[in-house]
Amino acid sequence: MSALWVGTSWKMTKTLAEARSWAEGLHDHLAGALPTGVQPFVIPSFTATTTVAGILGEDSPALLGVQNAHWEDAGAWTGEVSVPQAKDAGARIVEIGHSERREHFGETVETTRLKVAAALRHGLTPLLCIGESAEVKKAGGSAEFILRQARGALAGLSDQELSCVVVAYEPIWAIGEKGRPATVEELVEPFAALGAEYSGRVAGLLYGGSVNLDNAADLLGIEHVTGLFVGRTAWQLEGYLELLQIAAAHAGSGQVGG
Ligand code: 13P
């Protein structure tokens, strides 16, 4: 059984001092007791990438990521960061296609495809985010919608390349302060659809959106779920460490969705 992914994106939060404090706390925690069966990861803002990389160290069991990267390796792309630059700064994961980037910054299925390819080209793990709106869900089109996003972004990959990709299903209606936590029942069908196509073929199938300390264990129990991608609950280190414990307990119980 592979490890359960448990990670956080800090989105556009944290000063360098806050980033340092969180990362030092994680570093100290992992030095003492690495939770077995869990793959931790953290995705700070670009400004904190090298700070967090320096604190965690190259051999950290926690993987470092960036929240976006361009598909070109270099060039006249003002305001963008490339995969080689992210790698140079210590990143091992590239988050791609978060719904906030699709909604506000013009991310499309085609740009997610290009970015997945760029990450793989440089040996980084693409963390592809997919998810449908409340309207799509209401119309009964969730599974079809997210499969279209995933198939489009992962088109043309070899089995070997696909096995390096992590997919995070994050329904838009469940994300952030305006979202509401999804129930386990609501997630069974989308994960059945994703699992039928990708379970065992990708490195992870994660759930994200209003994950908290009360629902994390139940979410990990959904068939095909092999990790959690978390915002607010993990922004305080204590919350993140508790999520690691919950996942470690789950991994230890042998109840992983697979
Ligand atoms: P919340 O956990 O704050 O809902 O955010 C989820 C998310 O968007 C992670 O990428």
Side-chain angles (χ1 to χ4, degrees), residues 4-249:
L4 291 172
W5 297 80
V6 180
T8 177
S9 161
W10 293 348
K11 306 194 182 187
M12 197 172 70
T13 73
K14 293 198 190 295
T15 61
L16 282 180
E18 289 163 349
R20 210 174 284 125
S21 159
W22 194 103
E24 283 169 356
L26 179 64
H27 175 266
D28 293 352
H29 178 82
L30 294 178
L34 173 64
T36 51
V38 178
Q39 173 58 70
F41 65 95
V42 54
I43 311 188
S45 295
F46 284 116
T47 51
T49 308
T50 52
T51 300
V52 175
I55 292 167
L56 293 180
E58 273 184 26
D59 298 331
S60 176
L63 298 176
L64 180 64
V66 289
Q67 297 176 19
N68 179 39
H70 199 269
W71 57 85
E72 293 283 346
D73 289 356
W77 297 95
T78 299
E80 291 290 313
V81 170
S82 72
V83 174
Q85 287 178 310
K87 186 175 181 176
D88 184 44
R92 315 258 300 272
I93 294 175
V94 181
E95 184 179 351
I96 295 164
H98 191 281
S99 60
E100 288 149 19
R101 295 212 58 85
R102 293 181 196 254
E103 181 182 352
H104 303 296
F105 302 102
E107 194 82 86
T108 64
V109 169
E110 176 59 7
T111 59
T112 60
R113 188 184 68 77
L114 292 167
K115 291 176 179 189
V116 166
L120 290 172
R121 198 161 66 232
H122 294 284
L124 273 68
T125 298
L127 170 57
L128 174 70
C129 301
I130 55 176
E132 86 287 11
S133 65
E135 291 70 35
V136 171
K137 174 177 163 57
K138 204 168 158 206
S142 301
E144 190 190 333
F145 186 89
I146 59 176
L147 280 177
R148 205 175 330 123
Q149 286 182 324
R151 286 175 185 151
L154 305 177
L157 298 186
S158 67
D159 286 350
Q160 158 64 24
E161 288 169 324
L162 196 57
S163 73
C164 300
V165 175
V166 175
V167 176
Y169 170 50
E170 304 201 306
I172 297 170
W173 45 269
I175 291 177
E177 276 166 18
K178 292 190 198 133
R180 64 158 177 90
T183 64
V184 166
E185 292 70 37
E186 287 176 304
L187 298 177
V188 167
E189 191 192 329
F191 272 104
L194 289 172
E197 194 144 328
Y198 295 111
S199 196
R201 300 181 66 210
V202 293
L205 270 183
L206 281 48
Y207 172 74
S210 293
V211 173
N212 59 47
L213 301 181
D214 294 327
N215 64 13
D218 288 343
L219 294 167
L220 285 170
I222 297 170
E223 191 171 14
H224 303 303
V225 171
T226 60
L228 300 172
F229 190 24
V230 189
R232 291 157 296 157
T233 298
W235 291 348
Q236 299 295 324
L237 180 66
E238 294 69 30
Y240 183 62
L241 296 183
E242 283 211 43
L243 288 170
L244 290 180
Q245 288 307 329
I246 291 168

